[in-house]
Amino acid sequence: MITASVLAGFALCLLSTAPSYAKDAAAVEIEKTLTGWMADFNAGKTERICDLFAADVRADFRGHPTRDHKAVCDLLTKSLSDETRDYRYALDIKEILVFGDAAVVRLVWTLTIKDKDGEEIKSVEPGLDVFRRQADGTWKIVRYMAYEE
């Protein structure tokens, strides 16, 4: 016969292992980092555009060679410095998984490029970003993979 204390203990175990839907502090910080970067990008702040990436970043975008930190920063700076076009990113974070000092973010960036004639191009770019907590406590991308739909 199962006693009330055994049932209560079993219920307590089930409740203590229930999934948590609240974001942990690291996930909140990573989301804040990504949205802050998007705001800086959209504001054309080239002086801060490389802050999202660790010095040892490796970036893979389908159809292009792997880029290092310099190549990523050069491409972003060149794009934002182009006075004939306006670049804007929108962000859709699908999931943030944190594993100690590393995290994986599944997301979709949508890039809208508008030229002076008003012509607009949209690029929807699903991807996976791998973050690592840096010595100063910040989260930076060390690897990313993306492709255009």
Side-chain angles (χ1 to χ4, degrees):
M1 179 151 82
I2 298 176
T3 65
S5 61
V6 171
L7 285 174
F10 181 68
L12 186 59
C13 286
L14 285 176
L15 290 174
S16 68
T17 60
S20 170
Y21 296 102
K23 291 182 186 172
D24 69 5
V28 170
E29 186 63 30
I30 290 166
E31 184 173 347
K32 182 179 167 187
T33 297
L34 285 164
T35 56
W37 183 89
M38 179 183 64
D40 287 342
F41 181 93
N42 291 343
K45 294 182 179 177
T46 56
E47 70 279 2
R48 298 183 58 188
I49 208 64
C50 296
D51 293 350
L52 181 62
F53 307 100
D56 61 341
V57 69
R58 292 294 171 264
D60 292 305
F61 192 92
R62 182 172 56 191
H64 298 277
T66 299
R67 293 184 177 112
D68 62 7
H69 190 271
K70 181 179 178 351
V72 169
C73 290
D74 287 351
L75 178 64
L76 290 169
T77 302
K78 180 180 177 186
S79 296
L80 289 179
S81 299
D82 182 351
E83 295 181 10
T84 65
R85 294 183 175 156
D86 181 49
Y87 292 82
R88 299 266 174 205
Y89 263 121
L91 172 63
D92 180 13
I93 297 173
K94 301 293 186 183
E95 181 176 35
I96 300 174
L97 302 171
V98 179
F99 307 95
D101 287 339
V104 178
V105 181
R106 194 170 56 87
L107 45 64
V108 178
W109 288 104
T110 300
L111 177 63
T112 302
I113 305 168
K114 193 180 290 185
D115 66 20
K116 293 230 181 220
D117 297 332
E119 185 177 333
E120 191 174 279
I121 300 168
K122 280 198 188 260
S123 174
V124 178
E125 305 165 357
L128 197 67
D129 292 348
V130 179
F131 282 77
R132 184 174 54 223
R133 189 186 320 260
Q134 305 298 295
D136 65 0
T138 60
W139 288 90
K140 295 191 180 217
I141 294 175
V142 293
R143 300 290 182 273
Y144 81 75
M145 296 174 284
Y147 59 93
E148 185 176 18
E149 286 186 337

